[in-house]
Amino acid sequence: MSMKRTNVYADPEDLAIIKEAAKRRGISEAEIIRQGIHLAAMANRVWDEPLFSRTFEGAGRTLSKREVRDTVADAVRRETETGTAA
C-alpha cells in the first residue's frame, strides 16, 4: 500500500499514551496513529447511498422474530421472481 507523509500537531499526553500502547502491543507508534487516522476517515465518510435503502410496510407494532423472518423471506422471494434483486 502506498502511503503519504503528513505532519500533525498532537497533544503530548495523547502521544505518551500511544507510546506506551505501542510498547505494550509490540507495534510501532506510527501503526497506532495510522489506525486512528483510518478510524477517523471512516467515521467521517459520506456514503453514496443510505445504509437502509429499502423500506417495508409495517404492522404498527413490534413484530415477532417469526414475523420478521417471514416478511424478509417474502420480500426476497418477490425480488427474485421479478428479477429486481440488488
Side-chain angles (χ1 to χ4, degrees), residues 5-75:
R5 182 183 173 116
T6 189
N7 294 317
V8 297
Y9 291 97
D11 184 281
E13 291 177 10
D14 290 339
L15 293 174
I17 292 169
I18 289 170
K19 181 181 279 296
E20 184 178 313
K23 182 187 268 188
R24 185 178 61 250
R25 293 175 59 194
I27 61 175
S28 70
E29 294 171 43
E31 181 58 27
I32 292 176
I33 292 168
R34 280 191 291 272
Q35 290 171 359
I37 290 171
H38 180 70
L39 290 172
M42 291 297 99
N44 290 285
R45 181 175 177 184
V46 177
W47 299 92
D48 293 337
E49 61 183 60
L51 181 59
F52 299 105
S53 60
R54 298 186 217 170
T55 58
F56 299 96
E57 289 186 28
R61 61 180 173 74
T62 301
L63 300 176
S64 69
K65 189 182 287 188
R66 180 183 174 135
E67 289 172 310
V68 170
R69 284 185 187 139
D70 291 345
T71 300
V72 171
D74 289 343

